[in-house]
Amino acid sequence: MDALTKEERENLVRMLHERKGRMREEIRAGLARMRSEGHEAHLSGTADAGDEALASLMLDVANAEVARDAAELQDILAAEIRLAAGSYGVCIDCGTEIPYARLAAYPTAKRCLACQQVREATRAPARRR
Ligand SMILES: [Zn+2]
């Protein structure tokens, strides 16, 4: 059971859905960018070592961005699975209902704020949320 009203729940579902669409687009764009930057690096056979290093660095950045978007997409899909299973909005550590305000700010939250803080304090490096 969760304490969310029907309206709150629908709101969160919509937010997750929109976020999912955006992540998919960003991943697609990021992969396209990596491909074209990779091409440029290959084509620049006459480029000096500095250019090669810069091209490689840009690829690394694009790679990190795609990886981050992919991780978020994974979080969204996991949230949708919890929604379908009826376990959405319940802290996976303590079983408390997660307040709507937290879910509205962070719809993929798996933990209540207290458990998230404990987790962040005991894990290094700390995650952003
Ligand atoms: Zn908790």
Side-chain angles (χ1 to χ4, degrees):
M1 275 293 133
D2 64 42
L4 299 172
T5 67
K6 189 168 176 286
E7 204 173 50
E8 288 170 343
R9 200 181 167 83
E10 281 169 1
N11 246 341
L12 292 165
V13 168
R14 196 165 48 239
M15 285 169 66
L16 284 166
H17 188 77
E18 281 167 10
R19 190 101 190 117
K20 183 164 77 171
R22 201 162 345 130
M23 283 306 116
R24 280 186 169 150
E25 296 224 334
E26 279 182 20
I27 290 166
R28 203 172 298 132
L31 290 175
R33 202 162 58 236
M34 280 166 70
R35 267 195 297 276
S36 74
E37 276 164 16
H39 261 300
E40 278 160 27
H42 273 301
L43 292 172
S44 64
T46 58
D48 64 26
D51 287 343
E52 293 282 340
L54 183 63
S56 155
L57 179 67
M58 283 163 71
L59 264 182
D60 285 348
V61 170
N63 196 9
E65 282 169 4
V66 169
R68 204 176 49 221
D69 290 342
E72 174 148 8
L73 182 59
Q74 214 163 28
D75 280 349
I76 293 167
L77 296 176
E80 288 183 341
I81 289 169
R82 292 197 302 279
L83 268 166
S87 61
Y88 180 79
V90 176
C91 175
I92 60 168
D93 284 352
C94 71
T96 304
E97 283 151 3
I98 303 170
Y100 176 69
R102 172 161 166 75
L103 291 170
Y106 182 18
T108 59
K110 294 189 280 281
R111 293 180 182 81
C112 69
L113 196 54
C115 288
Q116 186 63 34
Q117 281 168 348
V118 167
R119 188 174 166 83
E120 280 171 12
T122 54
R123 261 167 53 118
R127 291 184 50 173
R128 276 184 305 137
R129 283 155 172 163

